[in-house]
């Protein structure tokens, strides 16, 4: 089984909490290390995947859309993209806001409201019904795309402090020269099994100028989001982004001082964490682009975040119950929930 943590001498504290870090809670002690499990069958199990081992469909087929990693009944989805060539069409997601996290590479986005170039560690927000296409500026890129049917907004705990909006939030801008172009396919992403494809007489992303003050497409780098800690004991992180319904939250979960999280059960939220890169390890996560998922109600501990050499990671909490797709299951492995290593006792 997983190594017993040095801070796991009995009696061990176990926390159950509602509404993520915000709601009611109970704390009990027990003599055994609760995250240990011998085996598991069924879909509601903790898993991990190293993104480099998952080949997205769009890596070799420019016509393909990103590969879906996880879906849910609430419409929250995760996808992975790995383009080497530009998109030969334009996409407008009419059912969800999208956050594109750039794990590696540099990506040029052209949208309905202007262009921006995103680099490693950037979150790019493309709200519902804003059309876009993107392309790597080099030979490769890897991104994780989060789809949220509920509108997403920056929601730090205070207007300043966690985010320096004036310095670090960058908006799409209208480039001077975007030719009108010829016939262009416009793909409307819906919840239907097949997409709806318009053929437009011109490039729908060819713009004149921006007349509004606000621009809905922005980018923000993970490294510029300050972490929030309670010292000296430690405590929960604070979200920098939230959906209007509060059913999807995102956090910077990079290295921070304070104590290790308690063994806990998150009653209402699935927890998806992306270990972005070191130099330090986050428990059992050492490979850049490691995606971990602990479904709601599954007891877990989690590695210490107090890693002096530092690492970068982000956390997605969602009330949606995520289900990994067959392709993602094939590229992933079961995970123990102490240090988030591959589970030692069972295969896939
Ligand atoms: Fe947790």
């Amino acid at each position: 089984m997983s190594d017993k943590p040095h801070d796991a001498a009995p009696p061990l504290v176990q926390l159950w909490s509602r509404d993520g870090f915000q709601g009611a809670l109970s704390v009990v002690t027990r003599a055994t290390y609760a995250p240990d499990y011998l085996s598991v069958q069924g879909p509601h199990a903790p898993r991990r995947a190293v993104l480099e081992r998952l080949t997205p469909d769009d890596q070799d087929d420019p016509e393909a859309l990103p590969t879906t990693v996880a879906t849910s009944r609430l419409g929250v989805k995760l996808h992975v993209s790995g383009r080497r060539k530009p998109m030969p069409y334009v996409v407008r997601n009419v059912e969800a806001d999208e956050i594109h996290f750039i794990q590696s590479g540099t990506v040029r986005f052209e949208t309905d409201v202007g262009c921006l170039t995103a680099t490693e560690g950037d979150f790019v927000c493309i709200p519902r019904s804003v059309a876009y296409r993107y392309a790597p500026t080099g030979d490769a890129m890897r991104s994780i795309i989060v789809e949220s049917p509920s509108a997403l907004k920056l929601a730090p705990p205070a207007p300043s402090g966690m985010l320096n909006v004036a310095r670090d939030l960058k908006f799409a801008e209208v480039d001077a020269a975007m030719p009108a172009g010829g016939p262009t396919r416009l793909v409307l992403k819906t919840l239907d099994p097949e997409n709806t494809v318009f053929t437009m007489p011109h490039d729908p992303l060819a713009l004149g100028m921006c007349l509004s003050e606000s621009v809905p497409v922005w980018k923000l780098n993970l490294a510029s989001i300050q972490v929030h800690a309670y010292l000296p004991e430690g405590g929960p992180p604070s979200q920098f982004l939230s959906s209007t319904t509060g059913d999807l939250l995102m956090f910077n979960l990079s290295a921070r001082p304070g104590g290790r999280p308690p063994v806990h059960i998150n009653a209402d939220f699935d927890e998806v964490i992306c270990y972005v890169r070191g130099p330090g390890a986050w428990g059992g996560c050492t490979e850049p682009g490691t995606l971990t998922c602990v479904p709601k109600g599954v007891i877990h501990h989690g590695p210490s975040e107090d890693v002096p050499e530092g690492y970068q990671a982000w956390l997605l909490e969602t009330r949606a119950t995520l289900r990994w797709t067959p392709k993602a299951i094939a590229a992933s492995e079961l995970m123990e929930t102490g240090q988030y290593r591959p589970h030692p006792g069972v295969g896939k």
Side-chain angles (χ1 to χ4, degrees), residues 271-295:
E271 298 182 9
V272 175
I273 294 170
C274 178
Y275 170 82
V276 176
R277 62 178 60 84
W282 177 57
C285 296
T286 58
E287 295 178 83
T290 299
L291 205 61
T292 71
C293 183
V294 177

Side-chain angles (χ1 to χ4, degrees), residues 40-46 270 294-298 321-323:
V40 57
Q41 293 179 322
H44 204 73
D270 282 19
V294 177
K296 59 180 64 62
V298 172
T321 298
L322 295 169
R323 287 291 176 255

Side-chain angles (χ1 to χ4, degrees), residues 222 227 237 251-256 273 282 305 311 313-315:
L222 174 63
V227 293
F251 306 75
N252 182 354
L253 207 69
S254 301
R256 58 184 182 139
I273 294 170
W282 177 57
E305 298 155 25
Y311 65 87
W314 51 267
L315 161 66

